[in-house]
mmCIF file of all heavy atoms in Angstrom:
data_model
loop_
_atom_site.group_PDB
_atom_site.id
_atom_site.type_symbol
_atom_site.label_atom_id
_atom_site.label_comp_id
_atom_site.label_asym_id
_atom_site.label_seq_id
_atom_site.Cartn_x
_atom_site.Cartn_y
_atom_site.Cartn_z
ATOM 1 N N ARG A 34 150.379 106.200 182.572
ATOM 2 C CA ARG A 34 151.742 106.267 182.013
ATOM 3 C C ARG A 34 152.211 104.901 181.568
ATOM 4 O O ARG A 34 152.866 104.748 180.570
ATOM 5 C CB ARG A 34 152.661 106.820 183.113
ATOM 6 C CG ARG A 34 154.023 107.217 182.652
ATOM 7 C CD ARG A 34 153.974 108.536 181.894
ATOM 8 N NE ARG A 34 155.278 108.835 181.336
ATOM 9 C CZ ARG A 34 155.676 108.416 180.152
ATOM 10 N NH1 ARG A 34 154.875 107.700 179.434
ATOM 11 N NH2 ARG A 34 156.873 108.691 179.686
ATOM 12 N N TYR A 35 151.829 103.904 182.401
ATOM 13 C CA TYR A 35 152.159 102.499 182.105
ATOM 14 C C TYR A 35 150.932 101.660 182.338
ATOM 15 O O TYR A 35 150.160 101.894 183.264
ATOM 16 C CB TYR A 35 153.278 101.970 183.020
ATOM 17 C CG TYR A 35 154.593 102.776 182.872
ATOM 18 C CD1 TYR A 35 154.899 103.770 183.757
ATOM 19 C CD2 TYR A 35 155.491 102.442 181.850
ATOM 20 C CE1 TYR A 35 156.096 104.494 183.627
ATOM 21 C CE2 TYR A 35 156.685 103.151 181.711
ATOM 22 C CZ TYR A 35 156.933 104.159 182.609
ATOM 23 O OH TYR A 35 158.163 104.831 182.486
ATOM 24 N N ASN A 56 140.862 119.056 166.494
ATOM 25 C CA ASN A 56 141.462 117.815 165.990
ATOM 26 C C ASN A 56 142.141 117.048 167.108
ATOM 27 O O ASN A 56 142.847 117.620 167.917
ATOM 28 C CB ASN A 56 142.548 118.155 164.939
ATOM 29 C CG ASN A 56 142.029 119.011 163.815
ATOM 30 O OD1 ASN A 56 140.873 118.906 163.378
ATOM 31 N ND2 ASN A 56 142.888 119.889 163.309
ATOM 32 N N PHE A 58 144.188 113.055 167.791
ATOM 33 C CA PHE A 58 144.860 111.983 167.100
ATOM 34 C C PHE A 58 145.324 110.895 168.086
ATOM 35 O O PHE A 58 145.697 111.220 169.221
ATOM 36 C CB PHE A 58 146.120 112.471 166.366
ATOM 37 C CG PHE A 58 145.878 113.685 165.494
ATOM 38 C CD1 PHE A 58 145.839 114.944 166.053
ATOM 39 C CD2 PHE A 58 145.739 113.534 164.121
ATOM 40 C CE1 PHE A 58 145.654 116.094 165.214
ATOM 41 C CE2 PHE A 58 145.529 114.633 163.319
ATOM 42 C CZ PHE A 58 145.499 115.904 163.878
ATOM 43 N N TYR A 60 148.344 107.959 167.958
ATOM 44 C CA TYR A 60 149.495 107.336 167.288
ATOM 45 C C TYR A 60 150.038 106.204 168.123
ATOM 46 O O TYR A 60 149.888 106.230 169.363
ATOM 47 C CB TYR A 60 150.665 108.351 167.106
ATOM 48 C CG TYR A 60 150.412 109.450 166.125
ATOM 49 C CD1 TYR A 60 149.797 110.642 166.484
ATOM 50 C CD2 TYR A 60 150.836 109.301 164.788
ATOM 51 C CE1 TYR A 60 149.614 111.661 165.551
ATOM 52 C CE2 TYR A 60 150.687 110.315 163.880
ATOM 53 C CZ TYR A 60 150.071 111.509 164.258
ATOM 54 O OH TYR A 60 149.890 112.508 163.359
ATOM 55 N N GLN A 62 153.935 104.347 168.644
ATOM 56 C CA GLN A 62 155.310 104.581 168.333
ATOM 57 C C GLN A 62 156.098 103.339 168.714
ATOM 58 O O GLN A 62 156.128 102.902 169.864
ATOM 59 C CB GLN A 62 155.880 105.790 169.089
ATOM 60 C CG GLN A 62 157.294 106.201 168.681
ATOM 61 C CD GLN A 62 157.743 107.485 169.363
ATOM 62 O OE1 GLN A 62 157.371 107.763 170.467
ATOM 63 N NE2 GLN A 62 158.548 108.263 168.658
ATOM 64 N N GLY A 65 162.205 101.801 165.459
ATOM 65 C CA GLY A 65 162.453 101.483 164.047
ATOM 66 C C GLY A 65 161.319 101.782 163.106
ATOM 67 O O GLY A 65 161.516 101.807 161.907
ATOM 68 N N LEU A 68 156.381 107.023 164.267
ATOM 69 C CA LEU A 68 154.993 107.298 164.635
ATOM 70 C C LEU A 68 154.069 106.827 163.520
ATOM 71 O O LEU A 68 154.239 107.139 162.350
ATOM 72 C CB LEU A 68 154.812 108.808 164.820
ATOM 73 C CG LEU A 68 155.283 109.442 166.112
ATOM 74 C CD1 LEU A 68 155.226 110.962 165.958
ATOM 75 C CD2 LEU A 68 154.485 108.991 167.281
ATOM 76 N N LEU A 70 149.921 106.608 162.555
ATOM 77 C CA LEU A 70 148.610 107.102 162.902
ATOM 78 C C LEU A 70 147.562 106.027 162.920
ATOM 79 O O LEU A 70 147.422 105.286 161.955
ATOM 80 C CB LEU A 70 148.194 108.218 161.910
ATOM 81 C CG LEU A 70 146.887 108.935 162.120
ATOM 82 C CD1 LEU A 70 146.904 109.682 163.441
ATOM 83 C CD2 LEU A 70 146.561 109.848 160.954
ATOM 84 N N PHE A 73 142.040 109.399 163.838
ATOM 85 C CA PHE A 73 141.956 110.796 164.186
ATOM 86 C C PHE A 73 140.514 111.252 164.137
ATOM 87 O O PHE A 73 139.655 110.600 163.589
ATOM 88 C CB PHE A 73 142.877 111.659 163.318
ATOM 89 C CG PHE A 73 142.498 111.710 161.841
ATOM 90 C CD1 PHE A 73 141.794 112.770 161.333
ATOM 91 C CD2 PHE A 73 142.910 110.720 161.019
ATOM 92 C CE1 PHE A 73 141.469 112.811 159.958
ATOM 93 C CE2 PHE A 73 142.604 110.725 159.665
ATOM 94 C CZ PHE A 73 141.871 111.776 159.161
ATOM 95 N N TYR A 75 138.201 115.035 163.795
ATOM 96 C CA TYR A 75 138.206 116.484 163.564
ATOM 97 C C TYR A 75 136.996 117.165 164.184
ATOM 98 O O TYR A 75 136.829 118.399 164.010
ATOM 99 C CB TYR A 75 138.345 116.784 162.075
ATOM 100 C CG TYR A 75 137.288 116.123 161.231
ATOM 101 C CD1 TYR A 75 136.070 116.722 161.005
ATOM 102 C CD2 TYR A 75 137.523 114.892 160.666
ATOM 103 C CE1 TYR A 75 135.100 116.120 160.193
ATOM 104 C CE2 TYR A 75 136.570 114.260 159.872
ATOM 105 C CZ TYR A 75 135.379 114.868 159.662
ATOM 106 O OH TYR A 75 134.425 114.244 158.876
ATOM 107 N N ASP A 125 150.256 127.427 162.451
ATOM 108 C CA ASP A 125 151.143 126.336 162.001
ATOM 109 C C ASP A 125 150.524 124.974 162.201
ATOM 110 O O ASP A 125 151.104 123.982 161.832
ATOM 111 C CB ASP A 125 152.503 126.422 162.685
ATOM 112 C CG ASP A 125 152.363 126.412 164.226
ATOM 113 O OD1 ASP A 125 151.273 126.130 164.734
ATOM 114 O OD2 ASP A 125 153.361 126.722 164.865
ATOM 115 N N GLU A 126 149.330 124.936 162.790
ATOM 116 C CA GLU A 126 148.619 123.671 163.004
ATOM 117 C C GLU A 126 149.473 122.637 163.684
ATOM 118 O O GLU A 126 149.432 121.464 163.350
ATOM 119 C CB GLU A 126 148.086 123.116 161.665
ATOM 120 C CG GLU A 126 147.027 124.002 161.053
ATOM 121 C CD GLU A 126 146.473 123.433 159.752
ATOM 122 O OE1 GLU A 126 146.658 122.221 159.499
ATOM 123 O OE2 GLU A 126 145.881 124.175 159.005
ATOM 124 N N LYS A 127 150.293 123.074 164.622
ATOM 125 C CA LYS A 127 151.200 122.122 165.259
ATOM 126 C C LYS A 127 150.427 121.174 166.119
ATOM 127 O O LYS A 127 149.361 121.493 166.660
ATOM 128 C CB LYS A 127 152.298 122.825 166.039
ATOM 129 C CG LYS A 127 151.840 123.498 167.338
ATOM 130 C CD LYS A 127 153.064 124.078 168.028
ATOM 131 C CE LYS A 127 152.710 124.693 169.388
ATOM 132 N NZ LYS A 127 153.963 125.259 170.020
ATOM 133 N N LEU A 128 151.004 119.973 166.259
ATOM 134 C CA LEU A 128 150.421 118.974 167.117
ATOM 135 C C LEU A 128 151.016 119.129 168.508
ATOM 136 O O LEU A 128 152.178 119.292 168.702
ATOM 137 C CB LEU A 128 150.765 117.570 166.573
ATOM 138 C CG LEU A 128 150.242 117.176 165.204
ATOM 139 C CD1 LEU A 128 150.597 115.741 164.889
ATOM 140 C CD2 LEU A 128 148.781 117.384 165.074
ATOM 141 N N PHE A 130 151.364 116.990 171.885
ATOM 142 C CA PHE A 130 151.332 115.576 172.273
ATOM 143 C C PHE A 130 151.245 115.449 173.793
ATOM 144 O O PHE A 130 151.754 116.248 174.542
ATOM 145 C CB PHE A 130 152.617 114.872 171.804
ATOM 146 C CG PHE A 130 152.655 114.544 170.358
ATOM 147 C CD1 PHE A 130 153.148 115.484 169.427
ATOM 148 C CD2 PHE A 130 152.187 113.325 169.866
ATOM 149 C CE1 PHE A 130 153.192 115.205 168.063
ATOM 150 C CE2 PHE A 130 152.249 113.026 168.506
ATOM 151 C CZ PHE A 130 152.755 113.959 167.631
ATOM 152 N N GLY A 131 150.607 114.349 174.208
ATOM 153 C CA GLY A 131 150.680 113.899 175.601
ATOM 154 C C GLY A 131 152.007 113.188 175.831
ATOM 155 O O GLY A 131 152.807 113.015 174.899
ATOM 156 N N SER A 132 152.235 112.736 177.075
ATOM 157 C CA SER A 132 153.501 112.088 177.428
ATOM 158 C C SER A 132 153.502 110.613 177.061
ATOM 159 O O SER A 132 154.531 109.957 177.202
ATOM 160 C CB SER A 132 153.770 112.231 178.927
ATOM 161 O OG SER A 132 154.039 113.589 179.206
ATOM 162 N N LYS B 12 159.272 104.390 151.838
ATOM 163 C CA LYS B 12 158.480 105.293 152.646
ATOM 164 C C LYS B 12 158.488 106.690 152.043
ATOM 165 O O LYS B 12 159.470 107.096 151.388
ATOM 166 C CB LYS B 12 159.010 105.343 154.063
ATOM 167 C CG LYS B 12 158.715 104.097 154.888
ATOM 168 C CD LYS B 12 159.406 104.138 156.223
ATOM 169 C CE LYS B 12 158.831 105.194 157.122
ATOM 170 N NZ LYS B 12 157.511 104.888 157.659
ATOM 171 N N TYR B 46 160.246 118.019 165.119
ATOM 172 C CA TYR B 46 159.806 117.782 166.477
ATOM 173 C C TYR B 46 160.966 117.230 167.244
ATOM 174 O O TYR B 46 161.746 116.394 166.759
ATOM 175 C CB TYR B 46 158.629 116.814 166.528
ATOM 176 C CG TYR B 46 157.280 117.407 166.146
ATOM 177 C CD1 TYR B 46 156.944 117.606 164.805
ATOM 178 C CD2 TYR B 46 156.372 117.797 167.107
ATOM 179 C CE1 TYR B 46 155.693 118.130 164.473
ATOM 180 C CE2 TYR B 46 155.135 118.324 166.758
ATOM 181 C CZ TYR B 46 154.798 118.500 165.454
ATOM 182 O OH TYR B 46 153.578 119.053 165.111
ATOM 183 N N GLN B 48 161.830 114.982 170.778
ATOM 184 C CA GLN B 48 161.210 114.106 171.735
ATOM 185 C C GLN B 48 162.221 113.627 172.747
ATOM 186 O O GLN B 48 163.179 112.879 172.428
ATOM 187 C CB GLN B 48 160.568 112.893 171.054
ATOM 188 C CG GLN B 48 159.821 111.973 171.990
ATOM 189 C CD GLN B 48 159.158 110.836 171.276
ATOM 190 O OE1 GLN B 48 159.504 110.456 170.131
ATOM 191 N NE2 GLN B 48 158.153 110.205 171.929
ATOM 192 N N ARG B 51 160.845 109.299 177.287
ATOM 193 C CA ARG B 51 159.617 109.129 178.104
ATOM 194 C C ARG B 51 158.695 110.335 178.048
ATOM 195 O O ARG B 51 157.921 110.594 178.977
ATOM 196 C CB ARG B 51 159.957 108.735 179.532
ATOM 197 C CG ARG B 51 160.596 107.367 179.664
ATOM 198 C CD ARG B 51 160.814 106.981 181.147
ATOM 199 N NE ARG B 51 161.823 107.806 181.787
ATOM 200 C CZ ARG B 51 163.126 107.598 181.657
ATOM 201 N NH1 ARG B 51 163.571 106.588 180.959
ATOM 202 N NH2 ARG B 51 163.983 108.358 182.300
ATOM 203 N N LYS B 52 158.844 111.113 176.970
ATOM 204 C CA LYS B 52 157.948 112.280 176.741
ATOM 205 C C LYS B 52 157.362 112.205 175.360
ATOM 206 O O LYS B 52 157.848 111.472 174.499
ATOM 207 C CB LYS B 52 158.743 113.588 176.910
ATOM 208 C CG LYS B 52 159.303 113.826 178.289
ATOM 209 C CD LYS B 52 158.218 114.277 179.217
ATOM 210 C CE LYS B 52 158.801 114.714 180.539
ATOM 211 N NZ LYS B 52 157.722 115.062 181.505
ATOM 212 N N GLY B 53 156.282 113.025 175.134
ATOM 213 C CA GLY B 53 155.791 113.157 173.790
ATOM 214 C C GLY B 53 156.597 114.131 172.961
ATOM 215 O O GLY B 53 157.285 114.965 173.535
ATOM 216 N N PRO B 54 156.520 114.063 171.650
ATOM 217 C CA PRO B 54 157.220 115.028 170.817
ATOM 218 C C PRO B 54 156.697 116.456 171.005
ATOM 219 O O PRO B 54 155.489 116.604 171.307
ATOM 220 C CB PRO B 54 156.933 114.538 169.390
ATOM 221 C CG PRO B 54 156.487 113.126 169.543
ATOM 222 C CD PRO B 54 155.847 113.046 170.854
ATOM 223 N N GLU B 55 157.511 117.431 170.795
ATOM 224 C CA GLU B 55 157.089 118.835 170.817
ATOM 225 C C GLU B 55 157.727 119.563 169.607
ATOM 226 O O GLU B 55 158.881 119.295 169.236
ATOM 227 C CB GLU B 55 157.453 119.571 172.112
ATOM 228 C CG GLU B 55 158.936 119.454 172.514
ATOM 229 C CD GLU B 55 159.225 120.101 173.855
ATOM 230 O OE1 GLU B 55 158.358 120.769 174.422
ATOM 231 O OE2 GLU B 55 160.342 119.935 174.325
ATOM 232 N N LEU B 56 156.933 120.481 169.067
ATOM 233 C CA LEU B 56 157.372 121.164 167.853
ATOM 234 C C LEU B 56 158.567 122.053 168.153
ATOM 235 O O LEU B 56 158.557 122.885 169.084
ATOM 236 C CB LEU B 56 156.222 122.008 167.301
ATOM 237 C CG LEU B 56 156.535 122.687 165.952
ATOM 238 C CD1 LEU B 56 156.667 121.670 164.835
ATOM 239 C CD2 LEU B 56 155.427 123.695 165.596
ATOM 240 N N TYR B 59 159.249 125.127 162.320
ATOM 241 C CA TYR B 59 158.206 125.013 161.366
ATOM 242 C C TYR B 59 158.546 125.915 160.189
ATOM 243 O O TYR B 59 158.801 127.087 160.365
ATOM 244 C CB TYR B 59 156.898 125.421 161.975
ATOM 245 C CG TYR B 59 155.691 125.483 161.063
ATOM 246 C CD1 TYR B 59 154.903 124.329 160.911
ATOM 247 C CD2 TYR B 59 155.343 126.636 160.370
ATOM 248 C CE1 TYR B 59 153.791 124.376 160.086
ATOM 249 C CE2 TYR B 59 154.232 126.678 159.569
ATOM 250 C CZ TYR B 59 153.473 125.568 159.402
ATOM 251 O OH TYR B 59 152.378 125.602 158.591
ATOM 252 N N LEU B 98 162.373 114.216 165.156
ATOM 253 C CA LEU B 98 161.527 113.695 164.074
ATOM 254 C C LEU B 98 161.220 114.776 163.101
ATOM 255 O O LEU B 98 160.787 115.879 163.484
ATOM 256 C CB LEU B 98 160.182 113.157 164.663
ATOM 257 C CG LEU B 98 160.231 112.052 165.721
ATOM 258 C CD1 LEU B 98 160.025 112.571 167.119
ATOM 259 C CD2 LEU B 98 159.215 110.988 165.388
ATOM 260 N N ARG B 102 153.766 118.050 155.508
ATOM 261 C CA ARG B 102 152.430 117.880 155.041
ATOM 262 C C ARG B 102 152.214 118.694 153.770
ATOM 263 O O ARG B 102 152.972 119.570 153.422
ATOM 264 C CB ARG B 102 151.401 118.250 156.126
ATOM 265 C CG ARG B 102 151.331 119.728 156.428
ATOM 266 C CD ARG B 102 150.081 120.018 157.319
ATOM 267 N NE ARG B 102 149.903 121.421 157.564
ATOM 268 C CZ ARG B 102 149.226 122.239 156.765
ATOM 269 N NH1 ARG B 102 148.721 121.781 155.637
ATOM 270 N NH2 ARG B 102 149.053 123.503 157.081
ATOM 271 N N TYR B 109 145.748 117.929 156.366
ATOM 272 C CA TYR B 109 146.511 118.721 157.382
ATOM 273 C C TYR B 109 147.331 117.798 158.308
ATOM 274 O O TYR B 109 148.006 118.265 159.185
ATOM 275 C CB TYR B 109 145.543 119.574 158.210
ATOM 276 C CG TYR B 109 144.466 118.762 158.881
ATOM 277 C CD1 TYR B 109 144.685 118.130 160.109
ATOM 278 C CD2 TYR B 109 143.200 118.635 158.298
ATOM 279 C CE1 TYR B 109 143.690 117.394 160.708
ATOM 280 C CE2 TYR B 109 142.214 117.880 158.914
ATOM 281 C CZ TYR B 109 142.459 117.301 160.110
ATOM 282 O OH TYR B 109 141.499 116.528 160.702
ATOM 283 N N ILE B 110 147.201 116.519 158.062
ATOM 284 C CA ILE B 110 147.886 115.583 158.959
ATOM 285 C C ILE B 110 149.292 115.392 158.442
ATOM 286 O O ILE B 110 149.504 115.000 157.288
ATOM 287 C CB ILE B 110 147.140 114.236 158.971
ATOM 288 C CG1 ILE B 110 145.715 114.471 159.519
ATOM 289 C CG2 ILE B 110 147.881 113.227 159.856
ATOM 290 C CD1 ILE B 110 144.829 113.255 159.385
ATOM 291 N N PRO B 111 150.308 115.592 159.308
ATOM 292 C CA PRO B 111 151.692 115.449 158.853
ATOM 293 C C PRO B 111 152.103 113.963 158.701
ATOM 294 O O PRO B 111 151.583 113.096 159.381
ATOM 295 C CB PRO B 111 152.467 116.132 159.947
ATOM 296 C CG PRO B 111 151.654 115.988 161.173
ATOM 297 C CD PRO B 111 150.231 116.029 160.715
ATOM 298 N N PHE B 113 155.318 111.672 159.317
ATOM 299 C CA PHE B 113 156.524 111.704 160.132
ATOM 300 C C PHE B 113 157.610 110.786 159.607
ATOM 301 O O PHE B 113 157.339 109.716 159.037
ATOM 302 C CB PHE B 113 156.208 111.270 161.566
ATOM 303 C CG PHE B 113 155.499 112.305 162.381
ATOM 304 C CD1 PHE B 113 154.119 112.388 162.387
ATOM 305 C CD2 PHE B 113 156.198 113.189 163.172
ATOM 306 C CE1 PHE B 113 153.440 113.334 163.145
ATOM 307 C CE2 PHE B 113 155.572 114.156 163.930
ATOM 308 C CZ PHE B 113 154.200 114.232 163.905
ATOM 309 N N GLY B 114 158.866 111.217 159.781
ATOM 310 C CA GLY B 114 159.994 110.322 159.617
ATOM 311 C C GLY B 114 160.120 109.438 160.872
ATOM 312 O O GLY B 114 159.398 109.611 161.853
ATOM 313 N N ARG B 115 161.019 108.465 160.836
ATOM 314 C CA ARG B 115 161.186 107.526 161.937
ATOM 315 C C ARG B 115 161.850 108.142 163.136
ATOM 316 O O ARG B 115 161.807 107.616 164.251
ATOM 317 C CB ARG B 115 161.976 106.299 161.481
ATOM 318 C CG ARG B 115 161.209 105.413 160.519
ATOM 319 C CD ARG B 115 161.952 104.151 160.243
ATOM 320 N NE ARG B 115 163.234 104.398 159.574
ATOM 321 C CZ ARG B 115 164.182 103.484 159.457
ATOM 322 N NH1 ARG B 115 164.020 102.268 159.897
ATOM 323 N NH2 ARG B 115 165.303 103.784 158.804
#
Side-chain angles (χ1 to χ4, degrees):
Chain A
R34 194 75 185 88
Y35 299 97
N56 306 324
F58 309 81
Y60 289 88
Q62 187 174 33
L68 282 171
L70 182 63
F73 64 99
Y75 54 88
D125 54 13
E126 294 182 18
K127 72 177 183 180
L128 299 184
F130 284 87
S132 291
Chain B
K12 286 175 67 72
Y46 282 80
Q48 183 178 20
R51 294 184 292 278
K52 296 284 189 184
E55 53 183 351
L56 185 68
Y59 175 90
L98 300 104
R102 70 169 185 86
Y109 56 83
I110 300 171
F113 284 88
R115 290 187 297 168

